Amino acid sequence: MWFSKSPQDVMKELGVNPAVGLSDEEAKVRLEKYGMNKLKGKPKKSIISLFLSQLKDMLIYVLLAAAVITLVIGEIADSIIILLVIILNAAIGVIQEYKAEKAVEALQKMTTPRSVVRRGGVIKEINSEQVVPGDIIILDAGRFVSADLRLIESANLQIEESALTGESVPTQKKADSIFVDPKTPVGDKTNMAFLSTLVTYGRGEGVVVATAMETEIGMIAKILEDDNEEMTPLQKRLDELGRILGFLAIGICALIFVIALIQKRDLFEMFLTAISLAVAAIPEGLAAIVAIVLALGVTRMSKINAIVKKLPAVETLGSVNIICSDKTGTLTQNKMTVVKQYTSGKLSEVSQTEVNQVATPDEKELIRSFVLCSDATYENGQGTGDPTEIALIILGDKFGLGRVNVNTKHKRVSENPFDSDRKLMSTLNTEGDNYRVHTKGAIDNILKLSTSALVDGQVVPLTEQLRADYLKITEDMSDSALRVLGVAYKDTTTIIAPEEMEKDLIILGLVGMIDPPRLEVKDSITEAKRAGIRPVMITGDHKNTAVAIAKELGIADSIEQSLTGAEIDNLSDEVFAANINNYRVFARVSPEHKVKIVRAFKAQGNIVSMTGDGVNDAPSLKFADIGVAMGITGTDVAKGASDMILTDDNFTTIVHAIEEGRNIYNNIKKSVIFLLSCNLGEVIAIFISILLNWPVPLIATQILWVNLITDSLPAIALGIDPGDKDVMKQQPRNPKESFFARGAGLRAVIGGSLIGLFTLIAFYYGLWEHGYVLGSGVVPEEALPYARTMAFVVLAASQLFYSLSMRNSTKSIFKIGFFTNKILVAAIIVGILLQLVVISIPFLADAFGVRNLSLQDWGLVIGFSLIPLIANELIKFFRRMKDK
């Protein structure tokens, strides 16, 4: 509560004399007591802990169980294969998270700012980490504030606090202010200066009242320490799927034993069969395939300027239906820009893109006076000084009145600096053989000091009508959330004293400036709304400014859709959460409010993406489903708290990332449904053969080969399908929606049943060819491996062909185009070649228990294999007919 105490009381409490500062010995004692002035970072995860965190997954647990069982029964090769899949899956996740961490480190600027302090009566520069409570800090323009300070002196001191409050305009500081209200917002504490903010103008002195984690920024860092690891919708779906498959495998094994007892079959043989069935029920490659698809998606996203830090975050993007965005720097350009200028009787717009614009003679005088009465610089796209003045220098550049040229021609000989009481600044410059005063500042004060006006090149008396015109234009600009600045001049033959400058002025006019929206954002917001995504603006800025920008961008329609932080405080959490969907703009909010807003949206079942760049955004980035930080203007704290970083700081990239996220989820769903169809086919083939008291058509090694090789290649290819061009015309997916929604479950059952049935038919045909008919007791010795080979080929080939049909649930393969996914075509060809290799090479054929097939049987198995594909295409055809 330092802001509610006078500087004298603060000094007394901290035991320091401002004229002398702390002694070096006292500073050492305090450094021991309070510690170094640096924020605590989270300890980095080791590669091992990253690896182990990848194994916390239900599917992985099921695979580990399968590996242990296969090892116990002596199937060492199978066990090793399953363990390799688990390691591959974890390795992909580790590599991706490690790469993202390195990318974040590369984005961080390695800087240790220095501080100017008074110690033992001497002013010296020290490393900011050595600053302690009670230190007297000297502030001047261009220096970062190194701790939280209670100001004890201020002379025209302005501090840019956008990283902390979200306001793009610097705050005017006053050391002698005292605030009694304990709820005074950070942005309104004008007697304080905060860690990581930047002095843009004037000078001051302050006493350090908090360092490191006790500062305002430290408080935010503490909020970030609370681990809030929620599972993403995809992780929840896969976890649920893992449980279902795990219980299914146990259920199948139990059922097999019951059947074995009824049929009085050999129990050990049936145990091996049950293991085969359990292996068939679990898609061993699924976890690895999902990880590969996500990793490839992340690589694609990095090409559109989005660095994803955690793999599952990619898919969550596809479910996002609310984008909460910080205003300053994300939706706007974070630079004040003059957009309108007014000279008597003429209001004109200033183009944001055009250079060498043409001005009237009166406008030239207006712009020249503004440029001469500014201390800022702007060269090669870089500005220094007050953002308002930088905007005036850029205005001069646009109209061919560059700062250097104008100042060379009209040298400054004297000035009356800006101060917050007058709200004015004046300079005295040469004008030919004489001198001219240029005064800029608040329009009300300019009008009070003016007796004349420049109208069409003529100096005329400032009538009440003219005065009313200036005030009307000012009011209109203010209603549009523009910051208004007036300018006036007067000629003099001699150098006059500063206190004589601001009398009997001639008003030239005024300009309106704003931190303008990014040019490309409006189209992105339209696209987002079309895709069922609601953009929401959250800012520390004033309500009118925020609503004006929101209206221009199409985020809000009226001021009724906005709420301030103070208004949020007056609502209970329940009432706020119940009405949250009525609001589009939240202004004048603190970091705590941002978290409250995100939580309220989430409480209504929304999937929330929060974007931001300032330290003040970090807690809400952490609590959102997807936290998106800015890579260029973003603070390290924001990047650390986020799930995704935009390397181009562009809101538009978020919309592209959401599109990518939707396509990635659809692709994962295709892969999952495809794999489950294949596994269902295997289960049906084995289960029916047991019910019919036939030999088992497939052995465990063959099933593992199909699950890990034959299935996996097309599943990965489906996972990187080019995606649906119309995906952003659809509403966001309900995060609670199952993988099997919208008919996907039925397609899996039909596909799996057909694959299983034709695998059995091929198996029976192979037995029949070798003289075995239903009811015959003994199977001829050569018949079983041959029949199993036919079943093995049909199972593998039908799955390969069936993958073509999985690319789209409604469009035919001819409409999508066979070669629009060349990787899938290659996967099918490679899969068939691998089947040929296994059957043709003797030592592999022995390991898999297969035989060479006759040419006629090859034709037959290929024919059988095409039937599930044809059937699925016919189902799609009839569905399209029905929809028409």
Side-chain angles (χ1 to χ4, degrees):
M1 300 283 283
W2 301 102
F3 57 86
S4 62
K5 297 175 182 175
S6 70
Q8 293 73 23
D9 291 345
V10 172
M11 295 299 160
K12 205 169 168 186
E13 207 169 314
L14 290 166
V16 62
N17 174 355
V20 181
L22 299 175
S23 66
D24 286 342
E25 292 73 28
E26 178 60 22
K28 254 184 207 157
V29 171
R30 293 192 185 196
L31 192 62
E32 286 289 316
K33 181 180 174 183
Y34 296 106
M36 298 281 272
N37 178 31
K38 61 178 183 183
L39 299 179
K40 274 192 223 136
K42 266 196 174 178
K44 264 194 188 173
K45 279 188 180 177
S46 67
I47 295 283
I48 297 294
S49 61
L50 271 178
F51 184 83
L52 293 173
S53 69
Q54 305 296 322
L55 302 178
K56 292 177 186 167
D57 186 308
M58 191 65 196
L59 267 177
I60 300 291
Y61 299 153
V62 171
L63 286 184
L64 283 167
V68 170
I69 294 167
T70 45
L71 191 65
V72 168
I73 63 167
E75 297 288 344
I76 293 166
D78 295 356
S79 193
I80 290 169
I81 291 168
I82 295 173
L83 284 170
L84 284 173
V85 169
I86 293 167
I87 292 165
L88 171 70
N89 171 62
I92 291 164
V94 169
I95 290 163
Q96 183 50 40
E97 285 193 29
Y98 184 73
K99 266 167 57 184
E101 207 172 84
K102 288 290 166 209
V104 175
E105 280 173 25
L107 284 167
Q108 289 172 347
K109 321 267 186 298
M110 303 306 287
T111 56
T112 309
R114 314 267 301 161
S115 298
V116 177
V117 298
R118 184 179 291 122
R119 281 191 182 168
V122 179
I123 290 176
K124 55 170 89 170
E125 193 175 48
I126 62 166
N127 187 322
S128 292
E129 291 179 356
Q130 307 289 326
V131 167
V132 294
D135 258 327
I136 303 296
I137 303 276
I138 317 294
L139 299 173
D140 53 15
R143 202 173 281 281
F144 276 96
V145 180
S146 53
D148 281 7
L149 315 177
R150 170 63 169 93
L151 296 171
I152 53 177
E153 264 184 41
S154 60
N156 304 324
L157 182 63
Q158 294 182 16
I159 298 182
E160 200 261 305
E161 298 178 332
S162 68
L164 192 61
T165 64
E167 271 199 77
S168 43
V169 177
T171 307
Q172 185 72 41
K173 296 291 182 180
K174 282 186 180 175
D176 51 8
S177 300
I178 292 175
F179 299 97
V180 185
D181 182 2
K183 285 187 174 176
T184 306
V186 171
D188 295 340
K189 292 176 186 171
T190 56
N191 59 2
M192 299 284 291
F194 301 103
L195 172 65
S196 277
T197 58
L198 174 69
V199 179
T200 58
Y201 195 84
R203 57 182 182 75
E205 283 186 21
V207 59
V208 175
V209 292
T211 58
M213 297 302 278
E214 299 309 309
T215 59
E216 283 289 336
I217 279 180
M219 303 289 181
I220 292 170
K222 276 182 195 164
I223 298 174
L224 301 181
E225 281 183 350
D226 302 340
D227 262 325
N228 180 47
E229 296 298 328
E230 270 189 51
M231 288 174 86
T232 67
L234 177 67
Q235 285 172 316
K236 287 175 188 167
R237 291 290 83 77
L238 289 174
D239 195 59
E240 184 191 325
L241 186 63
R243 285 175 209 280
I244 292 168
L245 293 172
F247 292 132
L248 188 68
I250 294 163
I252 286 170
C253 292
L255 190 61
I256 293 291
F257 270 100
V258 171
I259 292 169
L261 289 169
I262 293 167
Q263 294 183 347
K264 297 185 175 60
R265 291 170 76 156
D266 182 316
L267 281 182
F268 182 71
E269 187 194 317
M270 289 309 282
F271 177 69
L272 290 180
T273 304
I275 292 297
S276 295
L277 251 180
V279 169
I282 299 164
E284 284 79 7
L286 180 61
I289 285 161
V290 169
I292 290 167
V293 169
L294 287 173
L296 292 168
V298 164
T299 309
R300 275 213 303 274
M301 281 184 147
S302 66
K303 289 173 187 163
I304 59 162
N305 302 314
I307 294 174
V308 177
K309 287 167 63 184
K310 287 194 175 160
L311 286 181
V314 178
E315 171 274 332
T316 312
L317 273 166
S319 313
V320 165
N321 65 333
I322 286 185
I323 304 176
C324 291
S325 178
D326 185 39
K327 175 183 76 72
T328 308
T330 310
L331 295 169
T332 65
Q333 297 171 22
N334 198 13
K335 57 179 185 192
M336 294 303 283
T337 307
V338 176
V339 289
K340 286 183 179 177
Q341 57 188 10
Y342 177 76
T343 52
S344 183
K346 186 175 191 302
L347 177 67
S348 61
E349 305 267 341
V350 178
S351 167
Q352 299 312 298
T353 50
E354 211 179 311
V355 286
N356 301 324
Q357 295 175 47
V358 180
T360 65
D362 284 10
E363 286 171 345
K364 271 191 177 159
E365 289 300 332
L366 169 102
I367 296 164
R368 186 170 68 120
S369 282
F370 270 130
V371 172
L372 287 169
C373 191
S374 294
D375 290 328
T377 65
Y378 184 80
E379 280 165 21
N380 305 320
Q382 294 297 313
T384 57
D386 181 85
T388 304
E389 289 196 345
I390 294 171
L392 297 173
I393 300 297
I394 293 171
L395 175 70
D397 289 345
K398 285 178 180 170
F399 286 89
L401 294 164
R403 183 185 69 88
V404 177
N405 291 344
V406 173
N407 276 291
T408 307
K409 201 170 169 187
H410 305 281
K411 284 199 166 46
R412 187 184 296 188
V413 290
S414 179
E415 67 184 281
N416 191 357
F418 177 87
D419 81 46
S420 49
D421 296 327
R422 290 177 16 256
K423 291 195 169 68
L424 295 168
M425 172 184 173
S426 297
T427 61
L428 185 66
N429 299 67
T430 58
E431 186 72 32
D433 295 334
N434 297 319
Y435 302 95
R436 179 172 283 190
V437 173
H438 302 278
T439 301
K440 76 172 191 308
I443 189 71
D444 302 3
N445 295 7
I446 294 271
L447 285 169
K448 277 178 199 161
L449 300 170
S450 298
T451 53
S452 310
L454 188 72
V455 180
D456 297 330
Q458 303 296 313
V459 176
V460 299
L462 182 60
T463 61
E464 285 305 314
Q465 182 56 51
L466 280 172
R467 200 179 289 273
D469 289 347
Y470 285 116
L471 288 171
K472 173 78 174 73
I473 295 294
T474 301
E475 195 181 323
D476 291 347
M477 284 189 184
S478 297
D479 288 346
S480 304
L482 298 186
R483 191 166 188 227
V484 182
L485 212 56
V487 71
Y489 77 99
K490 77 169 176 183
D491 289 321
T492 169
T493 52
T494 57
I495 294 176
I496 56 174
E499 55 273 15
E500 293 299 314
M501 290 179 186
E502 292 160 4
K503 292 176 181 172
D504 301 323
L505 298 175
I506 301 160
I507 185 167
L508 284 162
L510 49 99
V511 293
M513 57 180 76
I514 198 166
D515 177 10
R518 286 172 171 266
L519 301 172
E520 66 286 345
V521 165
K522 194 168 184 177
D523 290 341
S524 301
I525 283 171
T526 306
E527 187 182 353
K529 285 163 87 173
R530 199 167 46 228
I533 301 162
R534 187 192 319 156
V536 172
M537 182 195 287
I538 303 183
T539 180
D541 217 334
H542 293 279
K543 191 173 184 174
N544 285 3
T545 310
V547 172
I549 296 279
K551 279 182 179 174
E552 190 176 338
L553 289 172
I555 291 173
D557 303 319
S558 69
I559 201 153
E560 283 71 41
Q561 292 177 306
S562 64
L563 209 59
T564 64
E567 288 166 337
I568 292 171
D569 286 334
N570 294 332
L571 299 172
S572 70
D573 286 2
E574 294 73 29
V575 171
F576 180 55
N579 294 299
I580 187 86
N581 289 327
N582 300 333
Y583 300 108
R584 299 289 181 276
V585 176
F586 297 93
R588 226 61 193 133
V589 293
S590 68
E592 290 77 18
H593 289 134
K594 292 187 177 193
V595 173
K596 195 172 175 180
I597 291 162
V598 168
R599 283 184 162 155
F601 274 124
K602 286 174 77 171
Q604 296 292 321
N606 297 298
I607 297 288
V608 182
S609 160
M610 169 75 195
T611 73
D613 56 357
V615 175
N616 60 325
D617 299 320
S620 45
L621 291 177
K622 173 122 180 127
F623 286 105
D625 295 290
I626 289 283
V628 182
M630 302 292 139
I632 301 168
T633 57
T635 54
D636 292 350
V637 182
K639 289 172 195 167
S642 65
D643 301 293
M644 185 169 95
I645 297 168
L646 306 183
T647 56
D648 61 353
D649 282 17
N650 197 329
F651 181 88
T652 305
T653 305
I654 303 164
V655 180
H656 292 157
I658 288 174
E659 181 177 359
E660 194 67 52
R662 286 186 177 190
N663 275 323
I664 287 169
Y665 178 83
N666 289 345
N667 287 349
I668 287 173
K669 184 174 172 176
K670 287 177 208 171
S671 295
V672 169
I673 298 298
F674 167 70
L675 288 172
L676 292 179
S677 301
C678 299
N679 285 69
L680 181 65
E682 294 159 17
V683 170
I684 285 172
I686 294 171
F687 193 66
I688 292 177
S689 69
I690 291 165
L691 280 178
L692 297 175
N693 212 351
W694 289 5
V696 179
L698 298 155
I699 57 173
T701 324
Q702 292 171 345
I703 295 169
L704 265 179
W705 168 266
V706 170
N707 284 2
L708 292 174
I709 308 296
T710 320
D711 285 4
S712 297
L713 295 173
I716 293 169
L718 284 171
I720 50 176
D721 211 32
D724 190 351
K725 292 180 182 68
D726 299 333
V727 78
M728 288 302 272
K729 291 178 185 169
Q730 297 157 15
Q731 292 301 297
R733 188 185 78 256
N734 182 343
K736 294 191 174 77
E737 181 182 290
S738 152
F739 273 133
F740 307 112
R742 305 184 195 186
L746 183 64
R747 288 201 303 282
V749 169
I750 292 170
S753 302
L754 288 169
I755 290 167
L757 281 171
F758 281 96
T759 300
L760 262 184
I761 291 167
F763 177 64
Y764 180 72
Y765 184 83
L767 291 175
W768 176 79
E769 269 192 315
H770 288 79
Y772 174 86
V773 288
L774 280 176
S776 306
V778 184
V779 179
E781 195 178 321
E782 186 48 40
L784 196 53
Y786 193 88
R788 277 182 176 155
T789 306
M790 288 187 74
F792 181 45
V793 174
V794 168
L795 180 70
S798 60
Q799 292 178 4
L800 290 168
F801 295 141
Y802 186 67
S803 66
L804 286 168
S805 191
M806 289 302 298
R807 286 189 61 197
N808 195 293
S809 57
T810 52
K811 295 175 185 172
S812 79
I813 50 174
F814 301 107
K815 177 87 184 284
I816 305 164
F818 271 101
F819 296 103
T820 47
N821 186 344
K822 293 185 178 71
I823 296 170
L824 180 60
V825 176
I828 293 167
I829 293 166
V830 169
I832 289 168
L833 288 174
L834 285 171
Q835 287 300 111
L836 281 169
V837 166
V838 166
I839 291 167
S840 311
I841 296 173
F843 80 91
L844 284 174
D846 291 343
F848 283 94
V850 290
R851 300 285 180 272
N852 252 323
L853 298 180
S854 67
L855 202 60
Q856 181 191 338
D857 286 345
W858 268 112
L860 192 73
V861 291
I862 294 296
F864 282 163
S865 302
L866 287 166
I867 292 171
L869 166 67
I870 295 163
N872 202 34
E873 285 301 305
L874 285 171
I875 290 167
K876 286 200 273 186
F877 172 75
F878 288 121
R879 274 184 63 190
R880 287 197 301 275
M881 290 295 106
K882 188 183 165 190
D883 290 345
K884 277 183 185 174

